[in-house]
Amino acid sequence: MDLEDAREDVIVAAVAAVSTIAVAVVGRLVPVTDPGTVPTLAPIGVYLLYLFTRKGGPYTALDTVRNWGLLAVASALAAIGYGILG
């Protein structure tokens, strides 16, 4: 593993962690929002998917750190939406 791969892993892990914390905080502070345990951990699932699908290469043009980070944020927003609507 080289330094560039480690940097990319840290970026996606940080985005997933912040997204997970944001879902938990919003679920605690907004009384109408209660997404539950599994949807709250959805951004961590995105990070695990990132880790287990990036074994070597070649990667497509869509397989970037930015897109994985956006997917983690989108899963957090979906969990919040699920908590509000569900």
Side-chain angles (χ1 to χ4, degrees), residues 4 24-25 40 42 61 75 78-79:
E4 184 64 26
V25 168
T40 300
S75 69

Side-chain angles (χ1 to χ4, degrees), residues 3-69:
L3 192 58
E4 184 64 26
D5 289 340
R7 185 185 72 82
E8 291 177 353
D9 288 350
V10 168
I11 290 171
V12 176
V15 170
V18 168
S19 298
T20 302
I21 291 169
V23 172
V25 168
V26 167
R28 179 67 79 167
L29 293 179
V30 179
V32 114
T33 305
D34 185 22
T37 303
V38 174
T40 300
L41 297 175
I44 300 295
V46 170
Y47 174 65
L48 291 175
L49 187 65
Y50 166 80
L51 280 181
F52 292 122
T53 59
R54 294 191 41 105
K55 300 285 186 189
Y59 305 121
T60 64
L62 293 175
D63 191 16
T64 63
V65 174
R66 178 183 57 98
N67 289 344
W68 282 103

